[in-house]
Amino acid sequence: MEYAYVKRIRDLREDHDMSQRQVAKILGTSQTMYARYERSANELPIRHLIALCRLYHVSADYILGLTERKE
């Protein structure tokens, strides 16, 4: 099952011209684990969701696909 956040976190990363390795470093995880989030192989932990919201200046609702509004 692919969750809405999978596409959103990939799109946000690409829109900000960042590599998986760069985002993983910000999250304090490995590039391999971050790639697993983008493939829906592992669920995104809440602490990483919060960090991504701060990094990209978007709401959790946006990343989770509950709204189309970024803020």
Side-chain angles (χ1 to χ4, degrees):
M1 174 178 190
E2 184 169 304
Y3 299 100
Y5 74 81
V6 172
K7 181 170 180 2
R8 291 270 166 100
I9 64 173
R10 182 177 50 243
D11 289 348
L12 284 165
R13 178 180 58 78
E14 291 172 351
D15 289 348
H16 286 79
D17 296 320
M18 297 181 79
S19 68
Q20 288 183 341
R21 185 173 309 278
Q22 289 172 307
V23 175
K25 185 174 181 178
I26 291 166
L27 298 180
T29 193
S30 67
Q31 182 273 329
T32 302
M33 182 56 73
Y34 182 77
R36 293 179 62 84
Y37 301 151
E38 285 194 3
R39 287 196 323 267
S40 191
N42 281 74
E43 288 190 6
L44 184 68
I46 297 291
R47 69 183 183 279
H48 289 170
L49 172 62
I50 293 166
L52 291 172
C53 291
R54 290 179 176 152
L55 174 64
Y56 299 129
H57 305 285
V58 297
S59 69
D61 283 352
Y62 177 76
I63 289 179
L64 295 173
L66 300 174
T67 184
E68 295 301 314
R69 293 184 57 216
K70 289 187 176 183
E71 296 178 1

